[in-house]
Every structure is written in C-alpha cells, then in structure tokens.
Amino acid sequence: MIIARKNELDWLERQSAWSKTAAIVGMPGVGKSKLVREFLELRKLRFKWLPLENAAPMGLAALLPNEIKSLEKFVCVWDGVELFSKDALLEFLTTLSAENSTTQHILLSREELSVRDFPSLPILRLGPLEPMEAEEYVAKISGTRLSPQDAQKMFRATAGIPLLLNLWMQAPNEAGLMLKQVMSRLEPAEEKILLLGSVWGKPFHSQEIERILGESAARYNAAIFLLERKLLLDRVPGEEDLRIVPARIRDAILANLNCETRVVLEGQALKELERQGSKNPIEMFLRASRANQDSVAQNFLQALPLPELDAQPIFILEEMIRILSNHPSSVMAKAILLRCLWLRNRREEANALARTTEKLPANTENEADRILVLESLRTLNRSGDLKDAKRLVEHYLTKACGTFRSALLLEKAVASLELRPKETKEILSELLSTN
C-alpha cells in the first residue's frame, strides 16, 4: 500500500460504491496517478488510461470507447481534464450521468475544480506529504532511515512532493534543481508572486503586493488566477488574503532562493512592516538581519524586554549573537547580548562581557545602564564568580539609590549567600530598612 495515502484510498473506495464519477486534483508530481493505479490494483479492476494532452479539440465524450461502456468492473481514468473548459467538462459529466452504464470514471486534474462549479462531482484534493510521512515514504522505498539532518535537507529540497522525493533518493543534489525547473515553467509574474509570498511568510493581499513589488497589483491579477488554478495559491477562508499552498512549498522555495533576491525582498518587506507600524521587534529584527541591515536590526532590539529572550528559539538567539557580537550599538544591546550568550550556554563569553560592565559610570541614572549592570551581576552569580560579582556590587552601591540600590543589595546578598551567611543577613536587613 502507498505510504501515508490510506485515507485517500479509503475515499476512492467509498466513492466507487455510490458514484460513477470522482475527481482528484493536485499539483504535478503530488501522486495522483500513483494513487489511482494503487486503487485499481488493490481492487483488481480493469481500466483504460486516457491521457488528454492532445485531445482538447475533440471533446471528452468523443474519446469514450464504445466497446467498454457496458463492461462490468471497468474504470476510465481521464488524465489532464484541466485542459478543458468548465462548460466542456460540465457537458461531459452530464453525458456520463445520462448513460446506462456501470463503467466508472476518475478525472485527474492539475488545476482546481470548484465544488461551486461542479456540485455533484466528488473531489479529492491531494497535497504533498507531511514531514513524518515523507520520511516514512523514503524509508519504505529505500530501506534506509534518514538522520534528522538529512531528513531536514530532504524536505527542504522536495517539499514532500512524491515525484521530487523519488528523484531525491536517486540523486539528492538534483532534487532542488528539479524544484527550480518547476518554478522556471511559471510566467515571470507568477514567479514574483510566489517569491513574495514565500519571503512575506504570511497571508498577503493586493495592496501589499503593490507596495512591496512597487508595481500595480492589477498587473498580477491574471498571475494570481493562474496560481490559484494550479493549486499553488488559495484564499484564507472568509477573507480575500492570499497564501501559498501548501506552506511546505514556501519552505522549499526559500531554501532554493537566490541570496541576492532574498536580501532585496526582505528589505522591501521590512519597509512594508514599518509602514504598517508593526509592534513585533523580533520579526522586524529578523527582517533587517536577512536584508543585511545589521545596524537597523540592532535598533529593533532596543524595545525588547529581556525576559522575552528566554522563550526565543535557538536560531533567533544565534542570529542575535551574530549581529550583536561585532559592535553592540548601545548599552541595551550589550545587555541583550549578555542574556543571549548565557541562554546558549556560552558561559565564558558571557562572564568576560559581564566583567567589562564596571567601566560604566558608578553614579549612572540611565535605565539601560542599570539593566546591564544587573544582568552582568546575575550572570556572574549564576556562574559562581562571586568575587567579581561582589566587587561589581560595591562599585555601584556607593552612589546608587532607590530601586537600583535595592536591586544591588539583593544581588550582593546572592553573591554572599554561599560564603558568609551572617553577612547575607546583615545585607538583607539593610535592604529591608531602605524600603
């Protein structure tokens, strides 16, 4: 049985029990033909496969062989019905329903068939495999389990499309090239829309197309229509926003995207987010870093509260370290770098950075300075460097006041806790008396 397609085979089984016709739609290479052949083989059905590449002028009904109309347990597979107009297809379905025949018909289409246009036609939409399904597919066929790293590379190159998976197993380096060939068959306007949607990474509308690409959205209406027909775009339910279908195609496009093109598109996307007044500093930071605007990326981090760093994934922390390690543009940027280094277990680098904090003015009134001092103290305390932690506290405690003094006293207590319990008690008493 085809890996990961049991539900689809069950669907075909159910349709064959009560309907003479059914349709399967999906992008090229997604496995429509393989699914149907598996179904026919499992049920031991006789069939005739009717490719329709050169049949459009003749009409569908003219292709139906007279000798098979009365055969029992016979199936006609019409491969490529997207070549026919909606009216021609409706006429053909009407002809089939009027015939007194037990022959069943399966229609295969590379483009969307709308339920609204064909209300009586059962339609199965076949998509690429999910990551785990793709791994099972490769393991079943090749007899080899992929490492997590190879599985990730495989999925980026193939987007879970079975045709590309088969090619990847034969020649891993060529699968990405085949995806590029699929892209090269698109019109320039269609390719622009897919590239924009991949970099944008979320549903988008015509005004965003216009502003990001700098061209009239009306120029792309035909391209959008064709991409919807080809099942590469659809509309968000209840909205007019567009999105790439499936999201795995977006990931594969990004993995194979020319670096210079991505830098340009990320920069244009960043301008659009600024125009929209985005309040998400993480997204703005990532856009700026991908657009090679490191100084701009640092600026977006200034508004980020330190505790929010604790929940960020590894790749974002590493990107922050990369951007900030060269020349932190501000005291706050230095505090963020310190927290990122600690979260990534780069303790020696974090401690070395924390020790440089003593160079700040002891009587600082700047809130960012205070944040950096306290972050440095916590770093030294957590690493067990109590001597440097205590020295740093004493440096700032002489002229500190208010909440800053209270926080310093608390850090001093932490630094003294393991070595001098009596001193710790005295410090805590002082802390209580200042509040």
Side-chain angles (χ1 to χ4, degrees), residues 85-86 89-90 93 113-123:
S85 67
K86 181 182 76 172
L89 197 50
L90 282 170
L93 292 172
L113 297 176
S114 170
V115 175
R116 183 174 56 190
D117 294 334
F118 306 99
S120 61
L121 178 65
I123 300 173

Side-chain angles (χ1 to χ4, degrees), residues 170-186:
Q170 298 168 27
N173 294 330
E174 293 181 18
L177 295 176
M178 187 167 180
L179 185 66
K180 289 181 181 178
Q181 289 172 4
V182 171
M183 292 288 290
S184 70
R185 295 177 193 148
L186 301 172

